[in-house]
Amino acid sequence: MSLKDADAEPGTQDGPPPPEAVRKAVVASAMGNCIEWFDFGVFSAGVITSIVGTVFFPPDEGGSATLRSFALIAAAFVARPFGGMFFGPLGDRIGRKRVLATTIILMSGSTFVIGILPGYATIGMAAPLALLAVRLVQGFSTGGEYGGAATMIAEYAPTKRRGFYGSFLELGTLSGYVAGAGLVLGMHVLLGDEAMHAWGWRIPFLIALPLGIVGLYVRTRIEDTPTFQKMEQAGEISQAPLRETLLNAWPMIIKLICIVFLLNIADYTLLTFMPSYLTAYLDVPEVQAQLITIAVELAMIAVIVPLGALSDRIGRKPLLITAAIGFVVLSWPAFAFMQTNSGFGVAAGYAMIGGLLVLMLAVIGSTFPAMFPSKVRYGAFAIGYNISTSLFGGTCAVLVGWLIKETGSNYVPAYYLMLAGLVAIGPLLVIPETAGVPIEEAGKA
């Protein structure tokens, strides 16, 4: 099913946007997510993770290059809540479009800069400090990206098609990750270890800038959302959106944090930690690990949009609750499959986690924005999402890697996923079902 195949059922807006405008808004929003996760796909690829840990840091005989790279990933997440608190309320005050034009160029520009930074051998301790500064800028801009992109799609989409259109946001995530990981894999096979370590690792980072320029062009070609324009014309824009968000939306923000806890542990375990987990802890060859990762991601891409469309018929909560219970019940068996030292076992366990994750990814783009009223939607979503992502997503790879090293158990990721599933089940049971609810009415209860 494609964007052009979707019927253009209107929501409750007076004079709903034409189908072409909806499609442009979806593409413009998904591109930012694609660029963000292109960076993760590159950064978390096993070969790049180890190279970055050695290029930008002093020599270390303890074999901690991978952990140092994961620490840099975690460091970027420190800035995300601040980006959410800055860009989110700003998007509620001046519009979604203008903020998203800024975040996409900051994200892609930061990734590009990593590709031109000199290493430790050239500038010494200034190298890791410069890389840290770039990652903090990247995290700050990303903090304003996802909430705005999801809000843009949710406020453009027809009511009865919000699940379908919302799924394209995470289609951008998976596509960006596959593109980044696939590019690294192809270059590694083509260039070999020596050339990759010498200069080849820089190329994937450099490609992010032209991607960002294309994304900026697309975003400047669309109007702001019908919902925001309607509020603007009615004089309903909040002049103090941050204060209003923190005063009135905090109960739902807490529920969002708990749900995103599971989303982040699953997301960053699968997409950031797993490639290095397979190579460093299960002794899977790098190329095989990347092929398994990419294959699972491609399978998720194939089903995410149909699952989003399904949520328009049966609701978002059935898919989310199924995923949460599934992580509690199936995480340990999935990682048990991976311990079998067979390619089939590793792929089967990986696919089990990916299958549960895609149930969530298919509907979060339509679920999370609808948890909040229009006046504070961007800010409340961005703040709650990024606090949870900073606390749990950014630290996931470092914490799990450290716990495996300390305990000697390769089942640590499974236990963490089971805990996250338990935390998320309660909030998922009590949040309102918003499938079929006009976006202007969503979040008011």
Side-chain angles (χ1 to χ4, degrees):
M1 190 180 295
S2 69
L3 285 175
K4 289 191 176 183
D5 294 328
D7 52 318
E9 288 183 55
T12 60
Q13 301 100 328
D14 295 328
E20 183 62 27
V22 177
R23 289 194 289 267
K24 285 182 179 180
V26 171
V27 171
S29 301
M31 278 203 70
N33 233 28
C34 182
I35 291 169
E36 176 190 350
W37 282 92
F38 175 85
D39 170 73
F40 276 108
V42 171
F43 213 93
S44 63
V47 60
I48 296 293
T49 304
S50 60
I51 289 173
V52 169
T54 55
V55 168
F56 289 96
F57 291 87
D60 178 67
E61 297 179 358
S64 60
T66 297
L67 279 178
R68 290 186 295 195
S69 290
F70 284 148
L72 281 170
I73 292 175
F77 283 81
V78 172
R80 286 187 67 147
F82 299 100
M85 289 183 185
F86 176 78
F87 287 116
L90 188 63
D92 285 324
R93 188 159 59 86
I94 69 171
R96 291 54 163 129
K97 170 187 171 180
R98 291 162 69 183
V99 171
L100 287 172
T102 303
T103 58
I104 196 169
I105 203 65
L106 282 175
M107 285 194 314
S108 59
S110 300
T111 303
F112 172 83
V113 169
I114 293 174
I116 62 174
L117 282 178
Y120 181 85
T122 304
I123 60 175
M125 283 305 297
L129 293 176
L131 182 57
L132 174 62
V134 172
R135 294 293 294 175
L136 289 174
V137 172
Q138 198 169 42
F140 184 79
S141 57
T142 303
E145 169 65 29
Y146 188 81
T151 297
M152 175 73 76
I153 293 178
E155 292 184 347
Y156 254 104
T159 299
K160 294 183 180 180
R161 284 295 202 179
R162 199 160 62 237
F164 168 81
Y165 283 112
S167 66
F168 281 87
L169 184 65
E170 290 300 326
L171 181 68
T173 291
L174 296 172
S175 300
Y177 186 91
V178 168
L183 178 61
V184 171
L185 174 62
M187 290 185 60
H188 190 200
V189 171
L190 181 65
L191 299 177
D193 287 336
E194 186 176 346
M196 279 296 290
H197 281 76
W199 54 271
W201 67 270
R202 295 182 180 273
I203 294 176
F205 291 105
L206 298 177
I207 290 174
L209 185 60
L211 290 177
I213 292 173
V214 172
L216 178 64
Y217 173 78
V218 173
R219 286 186 173 180
T220 57
R221 303 277 292 180
I222 59 173
E223 297 293 327
D224 217 319
T225 71
T227 300
F228 183 82
Q229 291 186 58
K230 187 175 179 180
M231 288 194 301
E232 196 171 37
Q233 291 165 5
E236 296 174 351
I237 302 298
S238 174
Q239 297 306 305
L242 178 59
R243 184 169 67 87
E244 188 171 339
T245 296
L246 296 178
L247 283 176
N248 301 325
W250 64 266
M252 192 61 79
I253 288 175
I254 291 174
K255 293 182 179 70
L256 177 64
I257 288 172
C258 293
I259 298 168
V260 176
F261 175 39
L262 171 59
L263 173 67
N264 278 313
I265 301 309
D267 224 357
Y268 291 97
T269 293
L270 191 78
L271 302 183
T272 303
F273 179 71
M274 196 65 81
S276 294
Y277 173 81
L278 297 181
T279 57
Y281 302 106
L282 302 185
D283 297 321
V284 177
E286 284 183 349
V287 172
Q288 183 180 346
Q290 285 299 114
L291 285 173
I292 291 172
T293 301
I294 292 171
V296 171
E297 302 301 320
L298 289 173
M300 293 169 69
I301 286 173
V303 301
I304 190 169
V305 174
L307 286 171
L310 176 65
S311 78
D312 285 321
R313 296 194 295 273
I314 69 171
R316 329 294 187 208
K317 290 178 64 171
L319 275 69
L320 291 168
I321 293 170
T322 298
I325 295 173
F327 278 115
V328 175
V329 175
L330 297 177
S331 291
W332 195 93
F335 278 84
F337 272 118
M338 295 184 203
Q339 315 300 316
T340 59
N341 296 321
S342 73
F344 175 79
V346 171
Y350 207 141
M352 288 171 68
I353 300 299
L356 294 171
L357 175 58
V358 78
L359 291 176
M360 299 191 73
L361 295 180
V363 297
I364 59 175
S366 53
T367 302
F368 292 166
M371 292 171 68
F372 303 99
S374 301
K375 285 182 68 175
V376 297
R377 177 169 294 129
Y378 192 161
F381 181 2
I383 290 169
Y385 185 88
N386 285 292
I387 287 175
S388 189
T389 301
S390 177
L391 291 174
F392 307 116
T395 59
C396 179
V398 175
L399 178 61
V400 171
W402 177 79
L403 286 173
I404 291 175
K405 188 175 181 180
E406 291 298 311
T407 65
S409 173
N410 288 337
Y411 286 94
V412 168
Y415 301 140
Y416 203 13
L417 285 166
M418 293 164 69
L419 171 64
L422 289 171
V423 170
I425 288 173
L428 286 173
L429 290 172
V430 300
I431 63 172
E433 175 61 72
T434 55
V437 177
I439 195 64
E440 291 88 353
E441 301 300 321
K444 289 184 177 181

